[in-house]
Amino acid sequence: KLQFLYFIALNMPFTIESGNYGTVDFSKSVVLQSNDQKPIEFVVEREAAKMSGLIKDMLEDQEGDDQTVIPIPNVNGRTLKYVLEYCEYHWNNKADPIDKPLRGKIEEVISSWDRQFLLTDLIKGGDEKQHELLIDVIMAANFLNIKDLLDLTCASVASMIKGKTPEQIRALFNIENDFTPEEEEKIREENRWCEES
Amino acid sequence: MARRERTAEELAEEVRRTRAHPYGVKPLGNLILSGAVNCRDAGLGNLKQTTDGTVSEIVSYCTGESVALLSATSRSFYAFCHSDEVWKPLTLFALRKDGKFFFSDNWKQTYLNTRLGEQAPKHNLIVLDNFYSDTLHHIHRDSSIPIPAKWTRTNNVERRHASSMSKEEFQELYEKPGKPVIIQGLVENWGAFKKWEWDYLLSKWGDVEYQCEAARLTMKEFKQYCDQQCDDRPLYLFDQSFCSTSEGLSADFEVPEYFNDDLFSVLGDKRPDFRWLIAGPARSGSSFHKDPNSTDAWNACIRGVKKWIFFPPSVVPPGVMCSEDGADVTSPMSLVEWFSNYYHRCDEVDVPPLEALVQPGEMMYIPNGWWHLCLNLTSTICITQNYVSNVGLKRVLSFLKSMPHCVSGVPCERRESLYTDFREALSSNLPELLQQVDEEEKKDAKPHNEPLPQGDEGGFSFDF
């Protein structure tokens, strides 16, 4: 019970010993399993889980008290933890839509909670080069169909691209330059106006 | 969502008549057959495992400069960054900050024209020989496939001629039961029908601005765009202020007698938006929707041919995602995409749709609550109006009272109060009518007092 309170206080998704559903109130929560060799099981409030369009559809035909345990292919425990953290915070606290195109940098247009969510671990320590988890969350949000999370993470990548030269963008994302020299010159010529703005 | 499988002949015909992708993007199927290597992944770097849709989503948050510089990183990003889907919204956004619209060749060039005017560089298209993507190719295909005859074959909406239908008959047979009908013999008498060729319109109103979705363009600018564009989802001119901005235009048409009980007129200029001038090239149109505020509507086809599909109020059309509060709509697909993916599924619906091919000079009556879609098969010009008559007043009042969050056509701050505002205006101008409606409403709400006949479900029901 103490562990339960500890996790609630830190707003982190609550994991349980595999298969030990004794403490789970299935009228309010569901259990989601990551796709690791040894799956990690998360207890999530039903309403939070329904931020995922995929899960929402699955739960549509369900009766309230069924012991709902859903295996999530494609998403490992590390990523699922952050996805669910987002859902547990935002399911009844919807984020404002992010304008397109992005005005300024992402940090300037999102809430402080989202800022911390993004810049602690997804972009590790706020260092753009350390974006591995961000990309994992993008893929999970896409697979699970969580629009607001996908918007946030995609806008973050756009923010990282903003203000950089092609060389800097390539370095950041390990992009292979496969243009011929002629093609590259053509584009550079056409892009001169970008340097002037 | 898998597209309906096409026959070999259909595919061959499609290939023959479709223009090539301007940047050389090919569908994934070609990759399997050719054994070539797709440059997609190498050019995306750490993003290679994300889907095409996700990469496009990332690009959609980038500014014009960002997209241009991103397109220089690799062939893969070059392909993603040069879709019309990218440069069209950026252009419309740039227009808001004082750009001059001049459409030439494609949306990227048009963006450069808008941002940089005379200084705009020429966009030199690079044709890629090794980029394969279904997502990017489908958009192109939707913009260029010839419209198949089977999409336009069904024509089963009833047609009536105005000379043989009184207003009472129209209300009894179509407005009261809520049944679509095409009325002939009205529009063809309008000045608009005789005069509205583009030369005439441009000479009179060429420099007037009209609402074209997110942008405001002059008629000249819009026409020039229409002539040059090859969009999968062309911009639609849809303007509600035309009667006040375009002197003389309102003299070219008249509201038919069937529809001249226009009760919202009691609100004067506080009334919700109610009439639109509509124009657009082939492939433009409106995807499935219900008309606002539970009103009825008429749509006069002055030029061009329009394909209509109707579903009754209780039947959600295939491919339409109806969120619980009707509020959330994800990025809508183009009409061509809907037809390609979902039109054949109309056969699977319990109630088959009503469909029509409307010609110039014909007028469509759209009953309240009906889902409808309209695809322009050619360049079209129309006028449409929404109205509520005596027939529908009770229903509309009911709607405004019980669903204030769904009210539209008035500024946000007046949505909640439209019900009371309308009632007040009615009681000043048409007190007997309002009284009559209130009495009917009371009668509907009375619970049954007598014993019910056998087999009846009992209880009472509201008529919305």
Side-chain angles (χ1 to χ4, degrees):
Chain A
K1 197 171 183 190
L2 219 56
Q3 186 193 42
F4 181 87
L5 291 171
Y6 170 74
F7 277 110
I8 293 297
L10 286 190
N11 204 21
M12 268 157 51
F14 179 19
T15 55
I16 48 173
E17 276 283 313
S18 192
N20 185 2
Y21 303 142
T23 52
V24 182
D25 178 1
F26 280 105
S27 68
K28 293 206 185 77
S29 307
V30 298
V31 171
L32 304 179
Q33 296 174 324
S34 71
N35 77 340
D36 306 89
Q37 272 279 32
K38 194 168 181 297
I40 303 177
E41 303 198 289
F42 295 89
V43 181
V44 200
E45 276 185 61
R46 200 169 271 264
E47 290 310 306
K50 280 160 80 173
M51 276 201 86
S52 154
L54 188 70
I55 295 175
K56 180 166 188 253
D57 287 344
M58 283 186 210
L59 293 181
E60 212 109 80
D61 306 315
Q62 280 245 318
E63 289 303 311
D65 280 4
D66 280 358
Q67 284 224 335
T68 315
V69 179
I70 305 177
I72 308 288
N74 305 359
V75 188
N76 63 34
R78 184 175 82 129
T79 311
L80 194 52
K81 170 173 152 230
Y82 289 96
V83 170
L84 296 180
E85 192 181 314
Y86 181 91
C87 294
E88 285 188 329
Y89 179 78
H90 275 293
W91 75 266
N92 59 353
N93 184 13
K94 192 169 158 55
D96 288 332
I98 303 171
D99 285 334
K100 290 182 177 183
L102 205 54
R103 321 273 200 270
K105 286 290 210 173
I106 187 78
E107 308 90 273
E108 297 162 34
V109 300
I110 56 180
S111 69
S112 53
W113 192 94
D114 284 336
R115 203 165 27 243
Q116 182 171 35
F117 176 71
L118 211 50
L119 298 175
T120 320
D121 291 313
L122 269 64
I123 299 173
K124 202 164 171 60
D127 175 8
E128 284 181 344
K129 277 231 76 130
Q130 315 231 31
H131 53 254
E132 191 188 323
L133 189 53
L134 176 66
I135 294 180
D136 286 343
V137 172
I138 286 180
M139 296 197 289
N142 184 50
F143 173 73
L144 290 168
N145 187 10
I146 307 172
K147 184 178 186 300
D148 290 352
L149 180 56
L150 188 60
D151 288 349
L152 175 65
T153 47
C154 285
S156 307
V157 177
S159 182
M160 285 159 64
I161 291 169
K162 196 172 190 159
K164 290 188 169 62
T165 65
E167 294 74 24
Q168 291 167 330
I169 300 171
R170 282 191 209 118
L172 181 57
F173 292 112
N174 293 312
I175 293 166
E176 188 180 304
N177 178 3
D178 54 352
F179 286 118
T180 67
E182 294 78 27
E183 287 168 346
E184 230 185 309
E185 183 48 39
K186 235 181 174 178
I187 304 175
R188 204 196 327 256
E189 183 61 42
E190 202 180 299
N191 278 349
R192 276 207 205 293
W193 65 277
C194 298
E195 293 154 34
E196 278 133 42
S197 40
Chain B
M1 175 71 231
R3 286 170 180 257
R4 184 189 62 80
E5 290 302 309
R6 276 167 292 283
T7 64
E9 286 137 1
E10 285 173 325
L11 279 168
E13 177 63 19
E14 214 176 273
V15 166
R16 255 199 303 279
R17 295 167 73 185
T18 303
R19 67 190 171 96
H21 191 290
Y23 300 96
V25 172
K26 293 184 265 294
L28 283 174
N30 288 32
L31 182 64
I32 297 160
L33 297 170
S34 74
V37 178
N38 191 355
C39 71
R40 179 201 188 271
D41 284 3
L44 290 180
N46 298 348
L47 290 165
K48 65 172 176 268
Q49 284 186 290
T50 62
T51 61
D52 285 356
T54 305
V55 177
S56 296
E57 191 63 20
I58 291 168
V59 174
S60 75
Y61 282 101
C62 293
T63 60
E65 285 88 344
S66 284
V67 178
L69 294 171
L70 182 61
S71 77
T73 56
S74 67
R75 295 174 139 216
S76 192
F77 269 117
Y78 185 84
F80 279 103
C81 292
H82 280 97
S83 173
D84 275 342
E85 286 203 325
V86 173
W87 292 102
K88 183 162 154 186
L90 285 173
T91 306
L92 300 185
F93 183 70
L95 272 177
R96 288 195 235 162
K97 303 176 172 190
D98 247 9
K100 189 86 184 72
F101 184 82
F102 182 71
F103 191 89
S104 53
D105 304 321
N106 53 56
W107 279 102
K108 175 152 193 209
Q109 184 67 64
T110 304
Y111 173 84
L112 294 170
N113 298 345
T114 305
R115 272 294 296 266
L116 305 168
E118 305 255 310
Q119 314 298 323
K122 175 95 174 64
H123 171 49
N124 289 307
L125 285 72
I126 294 175
V127 180
L128 307 171
D129 58 6
N130 60 346
F131 184 84
Y132 300 79
S133 158
D134 280 344
T135 329
L136 295 189
H137 190 263
H138 280 167
I139 298 164
H140 166 73
R141 182 159 64 182
D142 288 346
S143 74
S144 59
I145 51 158
I147 293 192
K150 65 165 61 77
W151 293 1
T152 63
R153 217 160 265 155
T154 312
N155 209 352
N156 57 15
V157 172
E158 214 179 312
R159 277 176 159 83
R160 295 295 304 267
H161 200 281
S163 61
S164 63
M165 181 171 66
S166 66
K167 182 173 174 181
E168 290 70 35
E169 198 184 339
F170 165 72
Q171 288 187 325
E172 279 308 310
L173 294 182
Y174 304 101
E175 195 173 340
K176 280 189 188 154
K179 192 169 176 221
V181 62
I182 297 169
I183 307 173
Q184 297 167 320
L186 291 170
V187 178
E188 57 206 50
N189 302 321
W190 289 359
F193 189 73
K194 298 181 177 69
K195 297 187 290 179
W196 285 14
E197 302 304 340
W198 277 108
D199 287 342
Y200 169 76
L201 293 167
L202 291 171
S203 71
K204 293 206 78 172
W205 300 295
D207 294 319
V208 178
E209 276 190 357
Y210 296 92
Q211 199 67 39
C212 302
E213 299 181 29
R216 288 188 69 74
L217 301 178
T218 67
M219 197 184 278
K220 269 197 200 116
E221 288 168 346
F222 181 70
K223 177 68 166 68
Q224 199 255 343
Y225 155 75
C226 288
D227 291 340
Q228 291 237 0
Q229 58 78 37
C230 8
D231 292 358
D232 64 320
R233 196 189 321 175
L235 218 54
Y236 210 9
L237 189 160
F238 213 101
D239 183 285
Q240 76 249 40
S241 315
F242 68 103
C243 285
S244 41
T245 59
S246 321
E247 203 185 309
L249 209 155
S250 54
D252 282 349
F253 74 97
E254 58 193 8
V255 179
E257 210 200 317
Y258 302 120
F259 312 114
N260 62 6
D261 291 334
D262 173 23
L263 295 178
F264 270 128
S265 60
V266 301
L267 283 165
D269 53 16
K270 289 229 156 58
R271 67 179 298 171
D273 298 333
F274 69 108
R275 62 186 168 195
W276 291 266
L277 174 67
I278 307 180
R283 284 168 224 272
S284 67
S286 302
S287 51
F288 275 113
H289 65 283
K290 293 186 176 197
D291 272 5
N293 303 332
S294 188
T295 51
D296 296 81
W298 52 264
N299 182 304
C301 183
I302 298 165
R303 292 286 178 264
V305 181
K306 300 172 81 79
K307 163 74 186 186
W308 291 84
I309 304 183
F310 289 90
F311 280 96
S314 55
V315 180
V316 178
V320 172
M321 246 59 81
C322 210
S323 79
E324 269 144 35
D325 58 354
D328 202 26
V329 183
T330 46
S331 180
M333 62 182 101
S334 69
L335 286 163
V336 177
E337 192 179 340
W338 183 87
F339 270 91
S340 299
N341 290 357
Y342 293 103
Y343 180 58
H344 64 284
R345 294 178 74 192
C346 289
D347 299 338
E348 300 160 21
V349 180
D350 290 337
V351 179
L354 286 171
E355 302 183 47
L357 213 59
V358 169
Q359 306 290 338
E362 295 188 315
M363 180 181 283
M364 177 66 82
Y365 163 67
I366 302 126
N368 71 88
W370 280 66
W371 291 98
H372 53 286
L373 167 157
C374 187
L375 170 69
N376 293 322
L377 300 177
T378 66
S379 168
T380 64
I381 306 176
C382 309
I383 292 189
T384 188
Q385 269 194 219
N386 285 66
Y387 72 97
V388 52
S389 74
N390 300 23
V391 172
L393 181 58
K394 185 168 66 132
R395 180 197 72 238
V396 169
L397 282 171
S398 214
F399 177 90
L400 298 178
K401 181 178 183 185
S402 60
M403 313 230 235
H405 55 287
C406 288
V407 167
S408 66
V410 293
C412 285
E413 57 273 13
R414 280 202 273 129
R415 282 178 196 169
E416 301 272 330
S417 62
L418 185 59
Y419 171 71
T420 37
D421 293 343
F422 191 29
R423 281 192 65 92
E424 266 171 40
L426 284 168
S427 87
S428 313
N429 293 275
L430 298 162
E432 286 120 24
L433 179 59
L434 184 60
Q435 204 176 3
Q436 191 186 331
V437 164
D438 284 341
E439 273 160 25
E440 278 175 40
E441 189 74 58
K442 261 193 224 129
K443 248 188 254 165
D444 288 347
K446 263 209 186 95
H448 290 289
N449 288 322
E450 303 112 345
L452 297 157
Q454 289 284 351
D456 198 328
E457 280 193 326
F460 51 80
S461 63
F462 289 97
D463 199 28
F464 278 96

